[in-house]
Structure formats: C-alpha cells, structure tokens
C-alpha cells in the first residue's frame, strides 16, 4: 500500500549530494541585495512539519558553472579566515551545481575538517522540480554523509515527506526519525494551514541502499489526524516499481455471512506480473479465499480471478433436502492479445459452482454467466470473426441442459465499390453451430450480398436504395425438446432463399425557432420481400422481439438471422430536432403498414401483429450537463393506450444529482411464450452534497407489477427489490463510504435482510 510513500526518501538523497566532493567554487561578481529573514511558523518540537516554510523566493544570482567539479555561488557577504581556513557566506546565499540549486541564510565551510554547514531557511531544488526545506544541513568528511534537521521535501507532484531529523551515512544508507508522508493538500482554499486528509507516520524509516529496500518502525496511517491503521513490519522497494505488501482491509456486515473482514495481500512477481490474495473471514460462514493474477505480455494482457470456500449450500427449491457441505467457488478470466495491426484475440470466461454463490457473497447479481472468445481480423475493406460462447444460467427455474453452446460462429464480410451503379457492395459468409446437452441442436450456414446507394436529390431529399439476397442452409435435431413450437422448425436439413429491396427517403427542413435552430425531417421507407419459409427454420437468435424506435426502420425488424420479415410494407415517421446553446430536444415518432394480408410472424403484444403497427417514439431533452431526460413509448394503434412507457432522467451536477427510471409494459394479451411479460418497475437513485466533501447517497428498485399484469406472479403492486443508503467523504486524496443495503428477496442461501459495508481508498498512492 505504501511503496509510493518512501521511494521519495531515496530521491531526497540527491539533495544531500549537491555539494559533494571537493568542487571548485565560482563566485558571482554581483552580490544580491540582502532580503529580510522571513519569520517561520512555530510548531511542536519533535513533530515533522508538512507545511511549506514561509521562504520568500528570490532570483538566483549564482553564476552558471562550466564543469561538473564547479560550484557557483552568490552571497551578500563572504569572509575567509586564513588561520582556521573557514569560509563563511552570509545573507541570501545561493549555490548551484549540475542544475541543483540551493539557498540558505548562511553557509560555513571548514576546509580543514571538510565540514559544510547550511542553516537558516535552507532550500534545495533538483532538476526534476522537487524542493527540499530544512533548518540546518550538516555535511562532514567527504561530504557524502550528513544530517538534516526539520527536513521537508515537496515533490513535483505535490506530495510531501517530512522528518524531524534525517541522517545519510557514508555507505549511502538513509535514516529518517519521526517521519511523515502525505500526497494531500496541507492548505485550504484560502491558503491557511490545515491537516492533510491522511498521512503515514513512522517512528523511524530506514533506507538500505545495497538492498534498495525501505523498512519502517512504528508505521501507521492517520486519517484526519487520528491513528487508525497500524502497519507493523512494513517494507518495500525504494524505486518507483510496485512492491509487495498488505492493502487496505475491507469491512462488511450482512445477514447471510455476519461480520466480514477481508485483508488483501499484494505480491509482485515480476515487473509485468502480480497477484493479489485476499482471505475473507466471516463470523457466520466458513472463510473464503480470493485470488487475482494479472499479467502483461508483449502482445496483450490477461487476468484470472477466483473465489473458493467450503460450506453448506441451501437449495433453491424445497424438494432437494441435500445441504451437505461442499466446495463452492467462482472463477473468471479475461484478456486481449493483438498479434499484429489486423489480427487480435479477445476472450472472457465465467463459471460458478452453484446458482447462489455469487449473490450470497455479493460478488455479482448477474443471472447468467457467459463465456466467450473471438478471433478477429479487421482489414481496410474486410472483416473476419471466429467466435464461440457458452452460458451458465443462475436462474431458479432454468434448465442448464437447455442452455446453448455456440461453437463455432464464423462471420466474414468483404466490401467493394460498385463500378456500375455506384454505392457499396458487401458480401457475407456466416456459419453457426449450436449444441445443448439436453435440448435441440442446430447448425446454420448462409451466404449473402447487400448493395447500398445513398444520394441527394435537387430538392435536398436524402434517398437510400438497398437490395439484398441470401441463401440459407439449416440442420437441426431433437426439435421436440424445445418448449415453444414456433421456435422448433422442422428437423433435418432445411433451406431457404431471401431477397429484399428497400427505398428510404429523408427530407430535412431547417429553420429558426425560439432563438435556436429546428430541423423537421419526414421519413418514408418502402420494403418488399417475397414469401419466405420462416416456420420451417429453427429460431435460435430472433426471439423476444418488441417494436421500438430503434428497429422501426430496419429492413429486417427481427433481431438475428433466423427470422426475416417478408411481404411488403411502408414505414413512415417524423424526426424533429431543436437546439440552441446548451439546450437540445430530439424526437422521433413512426408507424408501419403491411401491404399484404398474410398473417404476421410476430407474436401478439409486440406491436406488429396486425397490418397496421402500433405507434412508437422517443424524445430526448438535454440541458447542458444538468438535465438529460429520455422517454420511449409505444401506443396502441386502435385506442392509443400506452403499451410501453419508459422514462430515464438524470438531473443535477456532479456533486448533487438524481437518477430516476420508470418502465411499464402493458401488452394486453393473456398468454405469451416470450421473455417479456407485462411488468412495471421504478428505479431511483441520487447523491446530495451536504457539506464540503461530504455527501449522502442512496438508491432503490421497486417492483410495481400487479397480478393483473402477470397472473403467475404473487406480486402485490408494490414490492421493494432492494435499496441502499450511505454517507461518503471525497476529496483529492481520500475516499470513505459507509453503506447500508437491504435486500427483500431470499434466493437460496442468499438471505434477505440488511448489510453494511465500509470502504476506504487512499488516492495518489500507487501500487
């Protein structure tokens, strides 16, 4: 945790070598005018002072030196006693050597003993911009060892290292007595002295030059002047590289595990590899061990993170009485490798031993864990992807055997400039294999071509013409294991051809409005597709559809490739945008009409069941960085009833803000074999700045779904899911947060109830 602190102590030795060796002195022919001796602030004896002394800066009159063995200096008065061979320079003494500058009220050099004393407002600045202050510096013998009283080093990044006394020995070792370090400001906005938010204090700090190691005695972290975190036996490397050591502990209290303390230990294996091992100790559960390994290679990076414990597992359902103790854990890994400018590999993997482990130990609230890999080649006009993925479900009623494993997924695309008609031509080859341990298996391959031409008419209309063709081949078996008939398709080999043409016209009108600029853009799209054998084909990637503004003008409004909307249709809409400095409103609304009376592929409640679709739209309002409001909706085509209603709003500044979200689905259907049943939910969160650097924050999720919305649910119309409330302190170098969270639902051994967590982070302290 504290390697960054005392590597600065090693840097401070460069100040002490400023006048090392018997260098020649080069005096300035012009002496500076005497400056009044500024008064220094008094402090308690024996305490390191982190505030900068009140030293009036003066321009250097010391001459530039020509060689490494020369020292230039200037002073108001210079005396030399030939009998004692003592040189005394007084009054604004300035010296420089090898770009190191020193200032003092008085410098005494005993040529017989080789001792040099600098005293009175001593200031030394090195080429890196670090500045050292001291009351008195004494260098003896060969001028390589010495003592500094009331040392203060102000580094170029603003960090400060202070000690009551510092000693440098002839072998290069350094010892600091009663030392303190902080990267935090020591003055308030008005320039008045203040205690830093946090500092590290130590009775003694020892720097071993031979081992390049810094060791401590009596080290502790003080927060707001209170000694809170002891650091016994602390040591680390003296250079800028990370060193092994204990990190800041984490503290929690919750209903499932009781009181928890986690103490991470950081182990640096090499300059490009490290590992963090974190034991988690609980009062109401068995201990758990967490580990994270990170590595940086010549072509990329990767990390591996895992949790492991041995404890009892409470089943999700009451029909499984087995709750014996067993190994429980979670493993994840992610990485990316760039082999050359075109080829890269990205992967991520996640797996848990059971469905409630992650929620019980508050690792994640995800209900699915997906593992993926993708090998990509990106060319100037081409793209190749070879990928695969698998999913582990953590949902209560999902069968793991029904979860698909996709391997491989190959997609290749090549673009060309059309030499005949203009525009762009794209060729695509795609193949997919999906397998299940207890379900339907499907393989797919297709080849397609798409042509796009965009142009402007003399009236300013933007017209886009599109034509595409595609040939598909499918094979599937075990089709009856798929619960929803519309997803099964026919078993065995199936093929189909797809063709579509589309014309899309946008006509923007621009003008002044209310001191700003508005743009009104009517849009019309016509799409025609011959009849397609959709129901004979398995549906793996075109499920859970809902009409919205994002897919209203898509040529194929199904997501994925397994379903393609056929027939002819016209889609029309209106886009409006208004903007003035700091303020913007954008809105879109539209609807489509099918020109044929063929039954629709889209399930009831999706907004596209009849020939005339529902009306969908979106409005976004933004005012500077203070307000952003987005409203999405779908209105019933017959009676304008709201079938989908979503609000998302962010209001406030960085320190005080509110985030509100509301979602309502009202599909007006009795049965739906999709994963989008009727639902109503509200989400709220925010933060309020109550004082300088202090804030109160909170969030809540409430399920407003009623039994009339979901007959299979026991919801009562107002069911909290979880909420949290906390207080936090944040400044430039310290972050503290205390959080209370309450969960309202039991999931296996992840029990409902209260949990408390305490987090502290020291900023400007590297690892």
């Amino acid at each position: 945790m504290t390697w960054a602190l005392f590597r600065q102590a090693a840097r401070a030795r460069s100040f002490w070598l400023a006048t090392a060796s018997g260098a020649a002195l080069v005096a300035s022919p012009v002496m500076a005018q005497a400056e009044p001796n500024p008064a220094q602030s008094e402090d308690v004896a024996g305490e390191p002072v982190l505030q900068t002394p009140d030293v009036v800066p003066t321009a250097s009159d010391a001459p530039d030196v020509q060689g490494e063995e020369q020292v230039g200096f200037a002073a108001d008065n210079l005396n030399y006693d030939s009998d004692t061979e003592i040189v005394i320079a007084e009054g604004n003494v300035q010296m420089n050597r090898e770009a190191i500058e020193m200032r003092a009220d008085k410098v005494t050099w005993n040529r017989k003993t080789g001792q040099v004393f600098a005293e009175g407002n001593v200031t030394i600045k090195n080429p890196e911009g670090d500045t050292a202050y001291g009351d008195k510096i004494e260098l003896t013998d060969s001028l390589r060892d010495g003592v500094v009283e009331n040392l203060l080093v102000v580094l170029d990044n603003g960090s400060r290292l202070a000690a009551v006394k510092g000693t440098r020995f002839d072998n290069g070792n350094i010892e600091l007595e009663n030392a303190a370090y902080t990267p935090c400001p020591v003055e308030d906005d008005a320039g008045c002295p203040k205690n830093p938010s946090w500092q590290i204090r130590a009775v003694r700090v020892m720097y071993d030059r031979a081992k390049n190691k810094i060791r401590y005695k009596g080290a502790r972290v003080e927060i707001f002047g209170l000694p809170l975190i002891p650091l016994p036996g602390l040591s680390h490397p003296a250079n800028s590289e990370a060193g092994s050591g204990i990190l800041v502990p984490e503290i929690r209290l919750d209903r499932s595990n009781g009181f928890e303390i986690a103490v991470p230990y950081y182990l640096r294996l090499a300059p490009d590899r490290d590992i963090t091992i974190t034991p988690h100790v609980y009062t109401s559960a068995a201990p758990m061990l967490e580990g994270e390994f990170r590595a940086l290679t010549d072509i990329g990076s990767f990390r591996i993170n895992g949790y492991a414990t041995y404890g009892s597992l409470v089943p999700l359902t009451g029909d499984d009485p087995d709750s014996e103790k067993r190994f429980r854990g979670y493993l994840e890994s992610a990485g990316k490798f760039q082999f050359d400018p075109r080829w890269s590999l990205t992967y991520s993997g996640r797996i848990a031993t059971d469905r409630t482990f992650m929620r019980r130990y508050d690792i994640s609230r995800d209900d699915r864990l997906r593992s993926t890999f993708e090998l990509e080649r990106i060319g100037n006009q081409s793209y190749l992807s070879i990928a695969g993925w698998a999913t582990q479900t953590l949902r209560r009623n999902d069968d793991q055997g029904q979860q698909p494993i996709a391997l491989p997924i190959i997609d290749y695309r090549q673009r060309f400039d059309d030499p005949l008609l203009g525009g762009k031509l794209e060729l695509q080859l795609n193949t997919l294999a999906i397998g299940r341990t207890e379900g339907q298996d499907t393989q797919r391959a297709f080849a397609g071509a798409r042509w796009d031409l965009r142009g402007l008419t003399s009236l300013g209309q933007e017209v886009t013409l599109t034509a595409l063709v595609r040939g598909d081949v499918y094979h599937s078996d075990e089709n009856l294991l798929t619960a929803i008939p519309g997803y099964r398709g026919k078993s065995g080999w199936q093929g189909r051809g797809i063709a579509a043409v589309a014309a899309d016209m946008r006509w923007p009108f621009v003008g002044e409005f209310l001191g700003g600029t508005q743009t009104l853009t009517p849009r019309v799209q016509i799409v025609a597709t011959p009849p397609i054998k959709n129901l004979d084909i398995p549906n793996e990637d075109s499920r859970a559809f809902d009409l919205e503004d994002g897919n209203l003008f898509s040529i194929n409004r199904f997501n994925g490739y397994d379903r393609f909307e056929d027939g002819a249709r016209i889609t029309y809409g209106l886009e409006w945008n208004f903007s003035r400095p700091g303020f913007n409103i954008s809105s879109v609304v539209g609807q489509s009409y099918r020109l044929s009376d063929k039954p629709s592929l889209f399930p009831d409640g999706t907004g596209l069941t009849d020939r005339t679709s529902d009306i969908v739209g979106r409005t976004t309002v933004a005012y500077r960085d203070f307000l952003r409001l987005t409203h999405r909706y779908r209105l019933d085509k017959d009676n304008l009833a709201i079938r989908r209603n979503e609000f998302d709003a962010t209001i406030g500044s960085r320190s005080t803000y509110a985030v509100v979200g509301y979602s309502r689905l009202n599909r007006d259907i009795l049965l739906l074999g999709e994963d989008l049943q009727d639902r109503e939910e509200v989400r709220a969160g925010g933060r309020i700045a109550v004082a300088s650097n202090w804030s109160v924050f909170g969030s809540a999720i409430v399920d407003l779904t009623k039994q009339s919305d979901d007959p299979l649910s026991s919801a009562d119309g107002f069911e909290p899911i979880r909420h949290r409330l906390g207080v936090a302190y944040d400044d430039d170098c310290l972050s503290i947060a205390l959080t209370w969270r309450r969960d309202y639902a039991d999931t296996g051994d992840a029990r409902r109830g209260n949990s408390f967590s305490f987090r502290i982070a020291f900023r400007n302290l590297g690892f």
Side-chain angles (χ1 to χ4, degrees):
M1 180 182 69
T2 57
W3 69 269
L5 154 59
F6 294 109
R7 77 169 190 264
Q8 317 298 357
R11 295 178 60 184
R13 60 193 170 126
S14 63
F15 297 119
W16 303 4
L17 299 174
T19 58
S21 78
L25 298 181
V26 180
S28 170
V30 179
M31 298 300 181
Q33 296 295 323
E35 294 287 344
N37 186 18
Q40 297 183 353
S41 59
E42 297 182 357
D43 198 80
V44 179
E47 291 292 324
V49 181
L50 291 167
Q51 275 74 24
T52 304
D54 188 15
V55 178
V56 179
T58 58
S60 176
D61 292 315
D64 295 332
V65 296
Q66 302 300 322
E68 295 182 358
E69 298 301 321
Q70 292 183 334
V71 177
F73 77 97
D76 294 339
N77 297 291
L78 180 64
N79 296 304
Y80 175 64
D81 189 330
S82 58
D83 295 333
T84 60
E85 295 190 33
I86 294 178
V87 180
I88 300 177
E90 295 182 289
N92 193 23
V93 183
Q94 301 166 21
M95 305 180 67
N96 64 69
R97 181 188 182 208
E98 298 179 11
I100 296 178
E101 302 174 359
M102 185 187 79
R103 182 205 178 278
D105 293 341
K106 181 179 180 180
V107 174
T108 303
W109 178 21
N110 189 323
R111 297 186 63 187
K112 287 183 178 181
T113 63
Q115 291 180 320
V116 175
F117 299 89
E119 52 188 318
N121 298 319
V122 181
T123 304
I124 305 176
K125 185 176 182 180
N126 68 5
E128 289 77 20
D130 304 334
T131 304
Y133 302 89
D135 290 344
K136 183 178 180 180
I137 296 179
E138 176 185 348
L139 303 173
T140 60
D141 296 328
S142 62
L143 306 182
R144 296 182 180 179
D145 57 334
V147 177
V148 180
E149 295 181 0
N150 293 331
L151 170 68
L152 171 64
V153 179
V154 180
L155 304 173
D156 58 341
N157 62 6
S159 300
R160 295 164 180 263
L161 174 64
V164 172
K165 183 179 180 180
T167 304
R168 184 179 188 276
F169 301 98
D170 187 60
N171 60 2
N173 290 354
I174 296 175
E175 182 174 300
L176 303 178
E177 298 181 16
N178 201 349
Y181 166 81
T182 184
C184 306
V186 295
E187 294 181 350
D188 58 21
D189 296 337
C192 299
K194 72 167 187 175
N195 289 326
S197 300
W198 68 267
Q199 61 178 313
I200 296 180
R201 300 285 297 272
V203 175
R204 183 170 287 107
V205 181
M206 291 78 70
Y207 165 65
D208 189 327
R209 183 180 182 183
K211 297 181 179 180
N212 196 33
K213 194 83 170 179
I214 293 179
R215 306 179 188 276
Y216 309 86
K217 180 180 179 182
R220 66 186 185 275
V221 176
E222 293 187 356
I223 302 176
F224 302 124
L226 301 176
L228 297 180
I229 305 176
L231 302 172
L234 180 65
S235 65
H236 54 74
N239 51 28
S240 59
E241 298 177 350
S244 303
I246 297 175
L247 307 184
V248 179
E250 302 176 8
I251 299 174
R252 285 179 50 85
L253 176 65
D254 64 33
R255 178 73 180 276
S256 300
N257 304 310
F259 180 79
E260 171 192 356
I261 181 169
V263 184
Y265 183 83
Y266 175 81
L267 180 62
R268 188 171 186 269
L269 305 176
D272 56 358
R273 282 169 172 77
D274 60 35
I275 186 171
T276 303
I277 301 174
T278 307
H280 297 257
V281 180
Y282 309 92
T283 58
S284 301
M288 182 174 67
L289 186 65
E290 174 189 0
E292 181 180 26
F293 175 77
R294 302 183 302 176
L296 180 66
T297 69
D298 294 336
I299 59 174
S301 63
F302 69 95
R303 67 177 180 86
I304 302 173
N305 190 30
Y307 299 78
T309 187
Y310 188 80
S312 59
L313 172 64
V314 177
L316 284 172
T317 58
D319 55 359
D320 182 6
D322 183 14
S323 59
E324 295 180 357
K325 290 188 176 181
R326 64 189 70 182
F327 171 79
R328 304 183 68 186
Y330 167 67
L331 181 67
E332 68 172 331
S333 180
K336 182 171 184 178
F337 304 94
Q338 191 75 40
F339 303 111
D340 59 36
R342 297 182 182 273
W343 285 94
S344 66
L345 173 66
T346 305
Y347 82 91
S348 66
R350 306 175 71 190
I351 186 171
T353 56
D354 55 78
R355 303 195 184 197
T356 61
F357 176 81
M358 298 181 66
R359 183 163 296 189
R360 162 154 189 182
Y361 293 98
D362 202 26
I363 300 171
S364 171
R365 305 192 70 85
D366 295 340
D367 59 2
R368 293 185 178 96
L369 303 180
R370 175 172 288 189
S371 299
T372 67
F373 80 90
E374 185 172 25
L375 178 66
E376 290 181 294
R377 185 189 184 278
I378 302 176
N380 294 332
Q381 295 291 328
S382 64
Y383 174 76
L384 172 65
S385 170
I386 303 174
W389 51 261
T391 301
Q392 178 185 7
T393 182
L394 304 182
R395 293 185 171 187
R396 177 188 297 267
N397 299 318
D398 281 0
D399 184 358
Q400 181 61 43
Q402 292 285 336
Q403 303 306 308
I405 301 173
L407 184 71
I409 309 170
I410 302 176
D411 189 65
Y412 176 74
R413 306 185 189 200
Q414 179 72 52
R415 284 185 176 180
F416 306 92
D417 292 327
D418 182 2
L420 299 177
L421 302 176
K424 290 288 185 179
L425 180 65
E426 179 180 284
L427 303 180
Q428 181 180 10
L429 300 175
N430 182 280
T431 182
L432 165 69
I434 289 181
R436 294 177 175 86
T437 58
E438 301 175 6
Q440 178 175 329
D441 299 331
T442 303
Q443 299 84 43
R444 176 191 74 201
F446 71 77
R450 174 168 173 159
W451 172 79
D452 290 282
L453 175 64
R454 176 182 175 274
L456 297 175
T457 69
S458 58
L459 297 177
Q461 299 160 328
E462 178 186 348
V463 179
T464 302
L465 303 178
T466 301
L468 64 86
V469 293
R470 203 178 88 194
D472 301 348
V473 177
Y474 281 80
H475 179 270
S476 61
D477 52 29
E478 305 289 345
N479 298 58
L480 294 179
L481 296 178
T482 298
I484 300 177
Y487 293 162
R488 296 172 183 169
K490 293 183 178 180
S491 62
W493 292 95
Q494 302 293 330
R496 70 176 176 185
I498 297 174
V501 293
D504 193 317
M505 188 274 290
R506 302 173 71 252
W507 196 354
F509 296 89
V510 182
E512 296 182 357
F513 180 68
L514 296 179
T517 302
Q518 69 170 339
T519 304
L520 187 65
T521 307
R523 183 176 181 180
V524 178
Q525 180 194 63
I526 299 177
V527 180
T529 303
I532 297 175
K533 254 192 340 182
N534 274 301
L535 296 181
D536 294 346
I537 303 300
N539 182 2
E540 297 281 5
D541 64 4
S542 301
R543 306 180 181 184
F545 172 83
D546 198 34
L547 181 64
E548 57 185 13
D549 63 284
N551 58 25
L552 177 65
F553 286 93
S554 299
I555 294 178
N556 180 28
R557 292 185 288 197
F558 281 102
N559 50 306
Y561 296 107
D562 292 339
R563 290 290 180 266
F564 199 98
E565 186 178 2
D566 56 3
R569 69 178 185 270
I570 180 171
T571 305
Y572 41 88
L574 189 66
E575 301 172 4
W576 180 70
N577 184 81
F578 169 71
S579 63
R580 57 181 302 171
F583 184 74
N584 180 266
I585 302 176
S586 62
S587 183
V588 58
V589 61
Q591 188 181 34
S592 68
Y593 178 77
R594 288 193 294 112
L595 302 178
S596 63
D597 56 1
K598 179 182 177 180
S600 171
L601 283 172
F602 297 98
D604 291 341
T606 60
L608 280 174
T609 306
D610 298 330
R611 296 181 65 177
T612 302
S613 77
D614 286 349
I615 302 170
V616 295
R618 171 187 48 80
T619 300
T620 301
V621 180
Y623 175 68
R624 301 188 185 276
D625 294 331
F626 181 78
L627 169 67
R628 184 171 184 85
L629 171 65
T630 301
H631 177 217
R632 292 182 175 88
Y633 57 91
R634 177 160 64 88
L635 306 179
D636 192 291
K637 64 183 186 306
D638 296 322
N639 55 15
L640 299 183
I642 300 177
R643 300 304 178 196
R644 179 179 181 180
N645 196 17
E646 294 184 7
F647 285 94
D648 288 287
T650 302
I651 306 171
S653 61
R654 293 176 60 89
S655 58
T656 299
Y657 60 86
V659 179
V660 180
Y662 172 79
S663 302
R664 166 69 168 157
L665 287 177
N666 178 19
R667 291 171 173 258
D668 192 32
I669 54 176
L670 296 178
L671 297 176
L672 179 65
E674 297 279 335
D675 193 22
L676 288 174
Q677 289 84 7
D678 288 351
R679 184 174 180 83
E680 188 173 9
E681 180 182 272
V682 63
R683 306 169 300 279
R687 180 180 295 269
I688 301 175
V690 296
S692 177
N693 303 120
W694 288 93
S695 62
V696 176
F697 60 89
S699 64
I701 301 177
V702 180
D703 185 1
L704 303 179
T705 307
K706 300 178 287 293
Q707 283 191 334
S708 58
D709 298 322
D710 186 359
L712 300 179
S713 172
S714 60
D716 58 3
F718 188 89
E719 185 173 336
I721 304 298
R722 63 181 175 271
H723 72 247
R724 67 182 184 123
L725 183 65
V727 59
Y729 174 89
D730 288 282
D731 62 20
D732 294 337
C733 63
L734 180 65
S735 178
I736 303 175
L738 177 63
T739 305
W740 164 50
R741 194 185 73 192
R742 181 173 179 84
D743 291 279
Y744 290 86
D746 289 331
T747 306
D749 53 7
R751 302 171 60 191
R752 72 177 70 187
N754 301 317
S755 64
F756 300 87
S757 65
F758 177 74
R759 179 183 61 87
I760 182 170
F762 300 106
R763 299 173 182 169
N764 305 321
L765 192 61
F767 294 95

